[in-house]
């Protein structure tokens, strides 16, 4: 111990370990979550210097009010058709999640992760980006693939690791790779995609291209070193990239305080890097759309990167392997003051006379049928656990472009082992 | 040319042919690199193809992977191999796995250049030989030249390769071959036949070892600086050793190794890296498995000790001619 007598007039040091407000069994009151009015946030010019974004990094860009009206400087004033399209994509994402979550519970696959409550973050962004802009997602942006028209059956084939799986059963479910839809291969390693997105954007700029990159991570993984490296690189080279931080309050069981949220916002991280920072209501798809469109224009005009914090709530468990009732109050998802992104857009469209509850119910029925039909189609290719669906020797494909001798030897050994084993799949 | 000039020439020749090649790293741009390996390239090819980076190895490799995904062919530099560890996640989890996990949709055609190895009083963090960490990773190739001629030809092959390649440059022999006699005058590449380097394009294929000294008494497997130390040690010991410069560790030229050991009946492995879990262990296992009935003596490993690389005790640590000579005497007696 140190010599305490010299500092005897000071209390002993105390280590601060963050603690979330509500634990299992606690009554939830989110009164401290500030929800500013929709006209509170100004919309700066996309060429403005990053140094002036302090208010936007600590404020909240909103368009849709909780009563269904839209307004403020960020209102993108888009057509009802586009709004209905986004509503449909969010609802389809939710229907897909629901069905695949159930498929995991039925033992048809090993794993799934829902994006319940966060559908606006990916659907709004996908609507604002050009279809050939490159996305470097984390594992909870399935709404991008759905918005870009990726066939649901292809996604399910990947989830089932079946014979229709383009990734040959090599990847954990939901770790999609869809180059044709501008969707970069998902990695299990958090935030590695951040510097990769910057590199892609730098390459596009170096080649005089017009395409930009966008990347996503959760608030928890902003703590990774890759986040810092990516922000530094993006700022230094003014890379045409959009950083999205999906602040859904939870990183598995750790609340956002463990990523630093007690002291600042995630959008405010941008300030120190010289990057434009926007904090956006992540359950407001029009705000997400408007902020992404703004950031895309900034990137496309060589004005530099933008960091968007999407303030939202992870309404479901982290994954099918997680039980949130063990670490947070069951009351949180319904008490979340920013509501549900689908309900909010639905109510807005109804309030403006562009939608009604019957059409909504009909859409939900139709989407459930669409997902069900896609699932039926995918299951024709098999489900996980009902035999190995890929050719045995494909296990060695793609380690290198050409298979070196040591892999050829191991491949021959494995095939011989399986043939001798009498295991059912070896006879196929 | 010395090895630095040869490496510089490889990048120059390829950048001239392929506009998608970009060179990046700490101090590689205007300044031309702390070892001068990229000197003149920025002036010739411009700042968007040869540029300085922030000091973040995660970023250098992560950004390179993203550029590769776009369609470029990045050649990032890590200033010292001792500083590659912050980038391990990007190299191991991303570059090495990208082709496999995306079933070929995305690839990482990057060549990571990095000076490595000791013998320069570099102490703990300017002397390490981390090749064994990377040879353990599926999906990445590891290449180590020992002469200017090979350095250029191998680097050209590495950059043209569509898989990620770790290209480790033995900095002790950048300017001249080193026989391990630190107390004798240094020589330079101009007096060595492999210092003759064509100015134009040529390749030395990856995955092919080179017999640098044919012999019958035993086979010695080495790479990098140790090739020259071994050659000197063999002459001093008067042993008719067959010395094989592996040049590429993954994929390894097993045929050349196997044929040699079956001929000589003895095998010694020499590397600077620490012993336990080092690449020598893999070499030893392979030779034992494939040449067991031809072996007349236990396989001998002469390596760095299992300690961090020391500063003042460098020549007691470095596997030089004395240690190799003693090992030669032992293996020939067995």
């Amino acid at each position: 111990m140190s010599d305490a007598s010299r500092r005897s007039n000071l209390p002993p040091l105390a280590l601060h370990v963050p603690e979330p407000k509500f634990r299992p069994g606690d009554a939830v009151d989110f009164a401290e979550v500030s929800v500013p009015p929709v006209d509170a946030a100004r919309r700066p010019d996309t060429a403005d210097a990053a140094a002036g974004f302090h208010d936007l990094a600590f404020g909240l860009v909103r368009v849709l009010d909780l009563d269904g009206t839209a307004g403020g400087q960020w209102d993108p004033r888009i057509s009802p058709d586009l709004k209905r399209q986004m509503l449909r994509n969010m609802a389809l994402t939710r229907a897909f999640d629901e069905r695949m979550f159930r498929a995991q519970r039925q033992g048809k696959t090993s794993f799934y992760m829902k994006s319940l409550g966060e559908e606006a973050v990916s659907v709004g962004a996908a609507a604002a980006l050009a279809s050939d802009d490159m996305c470097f997602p984390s594992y909870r942006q399935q709404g991008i693939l759905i918005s870009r028209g990726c066939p649901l059956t292809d996604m399910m084939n990947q989830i089932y690791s079946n014979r229709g799986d383009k990734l040959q059963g090599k990847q954990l479910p939901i770790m999609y790779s869809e180059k044709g839809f501008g969707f970069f291969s998902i990695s299990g390693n958090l935030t590695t995609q951040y510097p990769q997105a910057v590199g892609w954007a730098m390459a596009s700029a170096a080649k005089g291209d017009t395409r930009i990159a966008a990347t996503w991570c959760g608030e928890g993984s902003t703590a990774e070193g890759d986040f810092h490296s990516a922000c530094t690189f993006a700022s230094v080279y003014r890379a045409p990239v959009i950083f999205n931080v999906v602040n859904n309050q939870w990183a598995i069981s750790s609340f956002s305080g463990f990523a630093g949220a007690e002291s600042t916002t995630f959008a405010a991280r941008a300030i120190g890097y010289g990057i434009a920072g926007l904090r956006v209501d992540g359950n407001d798809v029009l705000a997400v759309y408007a902020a992404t469109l703004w950031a895309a224009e900034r990137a496309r005009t060589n004005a530099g990167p933008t960091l968007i914090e999407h303030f939202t709530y992870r309404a479901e468990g982290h994954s099918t392997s997680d039980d949130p009732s063990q670490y947070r109050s069951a009351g949180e998802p319904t008490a979340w003051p920013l509501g549900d992104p689908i309900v909010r857009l639905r109510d807005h469209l109804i309030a403006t006379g562009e939608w009604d509850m019957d059409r909504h119910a009909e859409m939900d029925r139709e989407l459930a049928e669409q997902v069900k039909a896609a699932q039926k189609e995918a299951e024709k290719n098999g489900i996980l656990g009902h035999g190995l669906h890929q050719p045995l020797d494909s296990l060695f494909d793609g380690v290198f472009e050409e298979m070196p001798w040591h892999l050829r030897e191991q491949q021959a050994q494995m095939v011989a082992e399986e043939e001798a084993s009498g295991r059912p799949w070896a006879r196929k | 040319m010395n090895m630095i000039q040869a490496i510089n020439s490889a990048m120059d020749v390829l950048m001239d042919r392929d506009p998608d090649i970009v060179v990046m790293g700490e101090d590689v741009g205007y300044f031309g690199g702390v070892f001068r390996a990229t000197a003149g390239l920025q002036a010739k090819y411009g700042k968007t193809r040869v540029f300085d980076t922030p000091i973040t190895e995660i970023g250098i490799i992560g950004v390179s992977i993203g550029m590769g995904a776009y369609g470029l062919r990045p050649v990032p530099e890590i200033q010292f191999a001792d500083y590659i560890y912050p980038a391990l996640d990007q190299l191991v989890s991303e570059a090495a796995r990208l082709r496999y996990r995306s079933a070929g949709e995305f690839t990482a055609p990057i060549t990571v250049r990095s000076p490595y190895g000791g013998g320069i009083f570099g102490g703990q963090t300017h002397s390490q030989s981390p090749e064994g960490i990377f040879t353990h990773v599926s999906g990445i190739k590891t290449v180590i030249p020992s002469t200017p001629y090979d350095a250029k030809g191998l680097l050209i092959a590495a950059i043209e390769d569509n898989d990620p390649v770790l290209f480790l440059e033995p900095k002790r022999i950048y300017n001249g071959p080193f026989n391990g006699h630190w107390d004798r005058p240094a020589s330079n590449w101009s007096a060595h036949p492999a210092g003759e380097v064509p100015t134009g394009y040529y390749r030395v294929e990856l995955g092919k070892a080179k017999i640098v000294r044919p012999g019958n008494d035993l086979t010695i497997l080495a790479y990098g600086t140790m090739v020259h130390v071994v050659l000197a040690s063999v002459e001093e010991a008067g042993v008719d050793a067959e010395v094989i410069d592996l040049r590429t560790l993954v994929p390894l030229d097993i045929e050349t190794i196997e044929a040699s050991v079956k001929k000589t009946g003895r095998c010694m492995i020499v590397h600077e890296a620490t012993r336990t879990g080092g690449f020598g262990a893999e070499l030893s296992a392979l030779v034992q498995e494939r040449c067991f009935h031809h072996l007349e003596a236990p396989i001998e490993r002469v390596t760095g000790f299992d300690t961090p690389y020391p500063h003042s005790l460098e020549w007691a640590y470095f596997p030089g001619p004395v240690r190799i000579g003693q090992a030669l005497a032992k293996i020939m007696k067995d």
Side-chain angles (χ1 to χ4, degrees):
Chain A
M1 295 299 280
S2 62
D3 182 359
S5 61
R6 282 186 294 148
R7 295 181 290 270
S8 57
N9 59 335
L10 293 174
L13 291 169
L15 179 68
H16 173 68
V17 179
E19 184 64 28
K21 289 229 161 43
F22 317 111
R23 286 297 195 185
D26 290 346
V28 176
D29 178 5
F30 279 125
E32 279 180 34
V33 174
S34 163
V35 182
V38 295
D39 55 2
R42 68 189 173 91
R43 186 181 186 279
D45 192 273
T46 54
D48 280 3
F53 281 69
H54 194 274
D55 57 330
L56 290 156
F58 284 94
L60 198 64
V61 170
R62 301 181 65 233
V63 173
L64 277 179
D65 224 337
L66 297 170
D67 63 5
T69 59
Q73 292 182 35
W74 285 90
D75 186 351
R77 299 175 187 283
I78 53 177
S79 70
D81 278 346
L82 181 51
K83 287 176 187 172
R84 279 189 290 262
Q85 188 59 50
M86 289 198 281
L87 182 72
R88 187 180 182 85
N89 287 337
M90 288 196 289
L92 182 54
T93 303
R94 188 168 293 185
F96 183 88
D97 277 356
E98 184 50 43
R99 192 115 202 136
M100 289 298 99
F101 189 91
R102 219 168 343 134
Q104 191 277 338
R105 289 295 188 243
Q106 292 165 342
K108 291 175 175 177
T109 188
S110 60
F111 183 74
Y112 192 70
M113 297 176 102
K114 289 170 103 171
S115 62
L116 188 71
E118 302 173 38
E119 295 91 346
V121 172
S122 45
V123 168
L129 294 169
S131 61
D132 57 354
D133 289 334
M134 189 68 188
C135 296
F136 289 78
S138 79
Y139 45 70
R140 225 185 287 278
Q141 280 79 49
Q142 52 265 53
I144 296 171
L145 273 183
I146 285 173
S147 297
R148 286 187 163 182
C150 181
L152 302 185
T153 306
D154 287 358
M155 295 170 71
M156 289 168 175
N157 286 337
Q158 197 281 325
I159 289 165
Y160 289 140
S161 283
N162 62 21
R163 70 177 73 87
D165 176 12
K166 288 191 294 184
L167 304 186
Q168 303 177 323
K170 289 180 165 123
Q171 268 281 43
L172 192 69
I174 76 161
M175 303 286 183
Y176 310 107
S177 179
E178 289 288 353
K179 194 174 188 180
F181 292 98
F183 193 92
F184 188 71
S185 158
I186 295 177
S187 170
N189 296 65
L190 298 176
T191 332
T192 50
Q193 72 276 12
Y194 252 60
Q196 293 163 6
V198 175
W200 197 97
M202 286 173 66
S204 184
K207 283 294 188 183
D209 199 344
T210 58
R211 293 177 293 166
I212 63 170
T215 185
W216 286 258
C217 76
E219 91 286 347
S221 32
T222 60
E224 293 283 4
D226 303 69
F227 180 83
H228 167 67
S229 284
C231 289
T232 303
F233 257 85
S235 172
V236 166
Y237 303 98
R238 282 187 215 159
V241 63
I242 304 172
F243 293 130
N244 294 282
V245 174
V246 185
N247 177 7
N248 65 12
Q249 316 302 321
W250 291 94
I252 307 185
S253 75
S254 302
F255 88 115
S256 58
F258 282 101
E262 284 186 336
S263 313
T264 186
T265 71
F266 294 96
R269 305 277 191 239
I271 294 171
Y273 293 105
I275 294 174
L278 303 174
R279 188 161 171 273
V280 172
D281 177 350
N283 289 11
D284 174 350
V285 74
L286 299 185
V288 172
Y289 174 88
T292 307
L293 203 65
W294 184 95
E297 182 183 314
R298 184 174 177 84
R300 264 187 252 283
T301 52
N302 288 309
T306 302
L307 191 160
I308 305 174
E309 172 186 350
H310 303 270
F311 194 62
T312 181
Y313 187 85
R314 195 194 76 208
E316 186 58 82
H318 167 70
S319 72
T320 49
S321 307
D322 180 42
D323 174 8
S325 73
Q326 299 299 306
Y327 51 79
R328 72 183 187 190
S329 170
E332 282 198 23
T334 44
W336 183 245
L338 296 174
D340 178 300
I342 294 178
V343 170
R344 285 177 63 191
L345 184 60
R346 181 198 71 189
D347 290 352
H348 165 69
L349 280 165
I350 292 172
T352 50
E354 298 291 346
W355 196 242
D356 57 56
M357 288 304 276
D358 288 345
R359 288 171 78 183
H360 196 84
E362 176 53 31
M363 177 185 77
D364 277 345
R365 259 194 306 275
E366 191 193 315
L367 293 177
E369 281 308 311
Q370 185 186 337
V371 172
K372 205 169 144 189
Q375 187 185 24
K376 235 176 172 172
E377 202 55 35
E379 289 180 4
K380 284 184 193 161
N381 295 318
I383 54 173
L384 185 69
H386 288 219
L388 292 181
H389 301 292
Q390 303 293 329
L392 273 183
D393 53 5
S394 71
L395 188 149
F396 294 87
D397 291 345
V399 179
F400 295 101
E401 184 174 38
E402 284 169 33
M403 202 180 296
W405 67 270
H406 65 288
L407 289 180
R408 285 198 307 272
E409 275 193 7
Q410 291 168 32
Q411 184 184 43
Q413 180 198 340
M414 184 210 67
V415 170
E417 273 171 15
E418 291 303 330
E419 278 170 357
S421 73
R423 281 191 270 207
W425 60 77
R427 291 196 292 270
K428 280 182 194 159
Chain B
M1 290 184 197
N2 64 31
M3 193 182 281
I4 295 168
Q5 292 161 334
I7 287 163
N8 183 284
S9 174
M11 288 185 275
D12 189 7
V13 165
L14 280 189
M15 291 187 81
D16 193 50
R17 293 162 70 112
D18 182 351
D20 289 336
I21 294 171
V22 291
V23 167
M24 57 193 284
E26 296 157 17
D27 305 295
V28 307
Y30 182 87
F31 179 57
V34 294
F35 291 104
R36 318 305 302 147
T38 56
L41 295 179
Q42 186 181 74
K44 189 167 176 185
Y45 297 104
K47 290 200 291 184
T48 58
R49 294 191 61 197
V50 182
F51 54 90
D52 293 311
T53 64
I55 303 172
T56 158
E57 289 76 16
I58 296 177
I60 292 168
I61 301 304
V63 161
S64 297
I65 293 167
M67 289 182 144
Y70 178 92
L72 302 189
R73 202 169 275 278
V75 187
E77 176 182 302
I78 299 295
Q79 202 161 77
F80 287 85
D82 314 63
Y83 304 135
I84 206 165
Y85 308 122
L88 263 188
D89 190 34
Q90 287 286 348
L91 285 166
V92 174
S93 310
E94 302 294 319
R97 306 276 156 84
L98 188 52
R99 179 190 296 279
Y100 191 76
R101 78 171 195 233
S102 71
E105 265 197 343
F106 296 97
T107 58
I110 67 172
T111 301
V112 182
R113 291 182 40 246
S114 192
Y116 94 108
I120 56 149
F121 278 103
Q124 296 192 18
T125 56
H126 298 80
S127 307
Q128 294 170 36
S129 300
E131 67 273 12
I133 293 173
F134 295 94
T135 55
H136 187 59
V137 175
S138 14
I140 199 160
K141 295 179 177 174
T142 301
V143 178
I144 301 179
S146 71
T147 66
Y149 181 89
D150 281 356
K152 179 172 175 180
L154 287 167
L155 183 54
I156 286 176
I159 296 172
E160 290 186 332
D161 197 279
N162 290 326
D163 291 312
V165 180
L166 176 65
F167 191 85
L168 292 174
E169 302 167 1
K171 60 178 124 37
R172 182 61 183 79
I173 56 172
Y174 265 157
N175 291 307
F178 174 61
N179 61 15
H181 290 291
W182 53 275
D183 47 353
R184 297 182 194 167
S187 61
N188 58 43
W189 284 113
S190 60
H192 192 284
E196 281 289 317
V197 177
T199 54
Y201 176 95
Y202 68 93
R203 283 167 65 108
V204 173
E205 294 306 321
L206 306 187
K208 296 267 184 284
K210 187 182 182 191
I211 298 171
V212 290
R213 185 197 186 285
N216 294 299
D217 289 353
L218 84 158
T219 299
I220 304 182
L221 308 178
Y223 47 88
T225 303
M226 299 318 294
V227 171
H228 306 280
V229 179
V230 164
L231 284 172
S233 306
V234 162
E235 296 313 319
E236 288 161 25
V239 183
D240 185 23
E242 182 144 292
V243 181
I244 299 178
D245 177 0
L246 298 179
R247 301 198 290 196
T248 303
L249 306 191
V250 176
L252 186 68
D253 183 353
I254 193 67
E255 284 177 19
T256 299
I257 295 170
E258 207 176 318
S260 177
V261 177
K262 283 181 176 167
K263 179 180 75 175
T264 63
R266 286 179 166 83
C267 181
M268 178 185 285
I269 295 153
V270 185
H271 62 55
E272 284 179 69
T274 51
R275 183 171 306 168
T276 302
F279 190 63
E282 179 64 27
L283 290 170
S284 175
L286 284 168
V287 169
Q288 189 273 138
E289 286 161 7
R290 304 169 93 92
C291 309
F292 183 77
H293 296 291
H294 295 79
L295 286 175
E296 293 165 30
I299 298 162
E300 193 73 27
R301 277 186 291 163
V302 182
T303 69
F305 296 124
D306 284 338
T307 69
Y309 203 104
H311 184 239
S312 67
L313 300 174
E314 168 143 62
W315 301 116
Y317 174 93
F318 188 89
V322 171
R323 197 182 310 156
I324 295 171
Q326 288 172 359
L328 280 171
K330 177 169 178 276
I331 195 171
M332 293 315 296
K333 202 174 66 193
D334 275 336

